[in-house]
Amino acid sequence: MAIESVCMALLQWSPALIAGFGQNILISLLAIGLGTVLGLLVGMLALSPWRLLRLPARLWVQVFRNAPWLVLIYFTTYVFPFEIHVGSAYIPFPDWVKVTIGLALPASANVAEILRGAVASIPGTQWEAARSLAFSRWQIAVSIIMPQCLKRMLAPWMNLYAVVTMGTALASLVGVHDVIDTAQIASNTVNLTGFTVLVYLSLLVLFFAYCYPISRLTQRLERRYAFY
Amino acid sequence: MPSIESVVEPLVSLRDVHLAFAGNPVLKGINLDVYPGQAVSIIGPSGSGKSTILRCITGLLQPQRGQIRVADTRVDALTREAQRIELRKRVGFVFQQYNLFPHLSVLQNLMIAPRKVLGRNRIDAEKDARALLAKVRMEHKADAYPGQLSGGQQQRVAIARALTMRPQLILFDEVTSALDPETVGEVLTVIRELTQEGMTCVLVTHEMRFAEEISDVVYFTENGVIVEHGSAEQIFEHPANERTREFLRHALGAPARRGPIVSDPYLLTNLSRYSLSV
Ligand SMILES: Nc1ncnc2c1ncn2[C@@H]1O[C@H](COP(=O)(O)OP(=O)(O)O)[C@@H](O)[C@H]1O
Ligand SMILES: [Mg+2]
């Protein structure tokens, strides 16, 4: 009887929960996208032979890799205005975008670090062979080193994406209407202990169902590129 | 070939080249000449500075003192990377560990430098690449990746890759030392053919019999100095210096001179010649 009503309630709330999870996925995809673009840029600067480019990039990596993600999310939420004034137009700057940036910052630092590790894993003899074929430093980076790095970066990068996805659970703390927020509203509304347990259990299942295949694929890729 | 030497300028010449790594002297006054079309071998114990000499010639290392000239280029005076790139277009380099690009097929390994560095178009670069692969007898592996090839095959591809730049000169740094004994011969055959075609070659090698066979001039180095140099016959048959004699005694594996070259790789006298390449 009680179990039945609890399950009915979950069924009723499930469209809202799934819509909320869609918000989490959207944030995670945009965060990893932005973080990857930023991270590759910062990572390349960090490998630059010029100190003026290298030092700020290294600082970026150290700061955002070592800061708690929640602090970064609070930081971006309160440091950015709620709308941006461009010419005569006001562009709203919603909280979920700020959270996306808050997640993209540590993601970028991690991508930069993954890039550094991949570049360091390419033997110096590859540079030397290309140099003796009259390649310039830039040509070596682009045509010889980067293509070999991309394969090696794929697995750790997907790992990072899974972590970013789980990080989106922090979004509800700054008022983003995501799956956690929806679950809270649902559990307050239904107000049954059994339902609360079930609703959070279903969140676990949702995140697991999304992240587990990614982690399995990562493992397979790691095995595939272990040699060579 | 002294009669030629008096007329023709050397293609490569090193004069009193000194180089130290962090205060640790490695080259202590190297003098070396390579004339166009010559095959010059550098032999000597490991750590004596042979690779360092080759690296200086192609501008990968900068000596602290002395002159290095390749054709009209004063290599020791180059200051900008762009100048060194111009030099390296004319000087090929083949490494002990092949150093092929593992993410590219054999054909792409041969096409990438002509296309990116020399700006040649795809069709010409591919035609050239295939012709050079045929020359090193690797045309059937054009689409294979380096990881799928044996050491000897990879090294032949690496030689073809160096040739794609149409260099005036090729430097070989112990190119058979990492190979299985049974594939050493196929690589040496390719190098022998290059020297017969008149390609100017500088070889660092532990293959004494091979060096003796193909070299016009042999340099013996020890501890960063050239102990002795001369024609292959001079160095191998009548070495003047006691150090050279001792090195050759060890390297050739027998106090007496070798017998005739036998082609059966399983013959014991022949095995010793392979086991040198460590
Ligand atoms: N990049 C380097 N940094 C410091 N020492 C080096 C470097 N390269 C070579 N050496 C040293 O220089 C000496 C000569 O090296 P090398 O030219 O490679 O000798 P070889 O090729 O005759 O075996 C060795 O003692 C080696 O340890
Ligand atoms: Mg060496």
Side-chain angles (χ1 to χ4, degrees):
Chain A
M1 172 65 184
I3 291 178
E4 240 169 60
S5 63
V6 161
C7 288
M8 276 307 291
L10 183 64
L11 204 63
Q12 271 173 1
W13 278 95
S14 56
L17 286 171
I18 287 173
F21 193 57
Q23 176 75 73
N24 289 68
I25 306 244
L26 180 67
I27 292 175
S28 73
L29 289 174
L30 290 176
I32 194 74
L34 184 61
T36 302
V37 172
L38 263 176
L40 290 178
L41 204 75
V42 171
M44 288 208 274
L45 293 181
L47 293 168
S48 154
W50 297 290
R51 262 166 55 120
L52 218 63
L53 297 178
R54 196 171 61 222
L55 291 185
R58 295 244 164 108
L59 187 68
W60 175 286
V61 172
Q62 288 312 317
V63 166
F64 290 120
R65 243 167 75 87
N66 295 308
W69 290 26
L70 183 56
V71 174
L72 287 175
I73 287 173
Y74 275 124
F75 180 75
T76 50
T77 306
Y78 296 114
V79 84
F80 291 122
F82 70 98
E83 56 185 15
I84 304 173
H85 192 177
V86 181
S88 60
Y90 287 90
I91 299 170
F93 203 164
D95 278 341
W96 71 269
V97 176
K98 296 178 188 173
V99 169
T100 303
I101 295 172
L103 289 170
L105 291 176
S108 75
N110 280 285
V111 167
E113 201 56 14
I114 291 171
L115 177 69
R116 196 187 60 78
V119 170
S121 77
I122 309 288
T125 50
Q126 288 285 305
W127 288 90
E128 200 165 49
R131 278 218 292 166
S132 67
L133 283 166
F135 280 80
S136 70
R137 200 185 153 87
W138 177 250
Q139 284 174 325
I140 301 172
V142 171
S143 347
I144 307 297
I145 306 301
M146 278 306 148
Q148 295 186 57
C149 284
L150 289 185
K151 276 185 188 172
R152 291 169 197 225
M153 287 175 68
L154 195 57
W157 179 80
M158 284 174 37
N159 219 8
L160 176 66
Y161 175 61
V163 175
V164 168
T165 306
M166 292 185 269
T168 61
L170 299 170
S172 64
L173 293 176
V174 290
V176 173
H177 189 56
D178 75 333
V179 70
I180 315 283
D181 191 48
T182 312
Q184 256 154 10
I185 294 169
S187 98
N188 288 342
T189 311
V190 176
N191 201 14
L192 284 172
T193 312
F195 177 78
T196 302
V197 170
L198 191 64
V199 109
Y200 283 107
L201 196 65
S202 61
L203 289 203
L204 283 179
V205 170
L206 268 181
F207 273 97
F208 183 81
Y210 189 72
C211 291
Y212 180 69
I214 296 174
S215 121
R216 279 310 293 267
L217 189 60
T218 308
Q219 280 176 2
R220 269 187 39 198
L221 288 174
E222 268 171 351
R223 268 201 300 277
R224 175 128 64 103
Y225 296 128
F227 330 92
Y228 151 164
Chain B
M1 35 181 90
S3 59
I4 295 181
E5 284 182 22
S6 51
V7 193
V8 183
E9 286 270 292
L11 181 58
V12 181
S13 82
L14 280 72
R15 285 290 167 273
D16 195 32
V17 170
H18 289 254
L19 183 142
F21 288 112
N24 173 32
V26 168
L27 300 184
K28 309 169 194 164
I30 299 288
N31 292 297
L32 185 141
D33 286 305
V34 182
Y35 287 85
Q38 271 189 337
V40 170
S41 293
I42 305 175
I43 61 172
S46 81
S48 61
K50 305 182 297 294
S51 301
T52 306
I53 294 174
L54 297 190
R55 271 154 219 265
C56 286
I57 294 175
T58 192
L60 290 169
L61 288 173
Q62 190 99 6
Q64 277 95 26
R65 238 174 77 197
Q67 292 183 17
I68 301 175
R69 203 174 49 70
V70 173
D72 298 327
T73 307
R74 272 288 298 274
V75 179
D76 56 291
L78 298 184
T79 50
R80 290 183 306 115
E81 192 62 12
Q83 298 171 315
R84 295 197 186 95
I85 285 172
E86 285 310 310
L87 168 73
R88 290 179 197 134
K89 287 180 186 171
R90 299 186 278 126
V91 181
F93 204 121
V94 186
F95 300 86
Q96 178 176 339
Q97 293 293 345
Y98 345 122
N99 301 347
L100 294 177
F101 305 129
H103 62 298
L104 299 178
S105 72
V106 165
L107 192 66
Q108 290 166 335
N109 261 281
L110 267 65
M111 288 170 62
I112 189 163
R115 296 207 60 209
K116 304 263 174 193
V117 176
L118 303 180
R120 305 192 58 196
N121 68 54
R122 165 178 289 283
I123 295 162
D124 289 351
E126 178 169 346
K127 216 175 89 196
D128 246 32
R130 289 196 187 276
L132 287 169
L133 281 180
K135 187 183 174 72
V136 299
R137 288 172 285 281
M138 285 296 293
E139 66 273 38
H140 59 296
K141 293 286 189 189
D143 297 318
Y145 281 80
Q148 301 167 319
L149 304 179
S150 74
Q153 290 176 323
Q154 290 192 55
Q155 196 58 290
R156 284 185 280 151
V157 173
I159 294 172
R161 182 177 69 176
L163 290 170
T164 59
M165 299 296 281
R166 309 209 163 283
Q168 287 176 290
L169 160 76
I170 303 194
L171 313 174
F172 296 89
D173 192 358
E174 291 191 37
V175 296
T176 55
S177 295
L179 299 181
D180 292 332
E182 58 266 29
T183 62
V184 168
E186 66 198 40
V187 173
L188 295 185
T189 303
V190 167
I191 300 175
R192 183 183 293 114
E193 285 169 4
L194 281 179
T195 61
Q196 284 164 354
E197 287 168 15
M199 172 61 84
T200 311
C201 296
V202 181
L203 296 117
V204 170
T205 184
H206 287 300
E207 299 286 340
M208 294 303 148
R209 300 279 154 82
F210 183 71
E212 179 173 10
E213 176 203 344
I214 63 136
S215 305
D216 297 300
V217 182
V218 178
Y219 284 78
F220 173 64
T221 62
E222 191 176 54
N223 265 324
V225 294
I226 305 280
V227 174
E228 184 172 1
H229 79 281
S231 71
E233 194 193 331
Q234 245 173 294
I235 298 293
F236 285 99
E237 305 282 345
H238 319 287
N241 192 290
E242 178 49 37
R243 305 295 307 148
T244 318
R245 276 199 288 269
E246 193 181 328
F247 175 77
L248 287 175
R249 211 160 31 237
H250 283 110
L252 292 168
R257 296 289 309 150
R258 83 246 110 78
I261 292 174
V262 196
S263 55
D264 179 1
Y266 297 104
L267 216 75
L268 267 178
T269 53
N270 242 23
L271 278 179
S272 70
R273 127 185 185 211
Y274 290 132
S275 59
L276 288 169
S277 31
V278 274

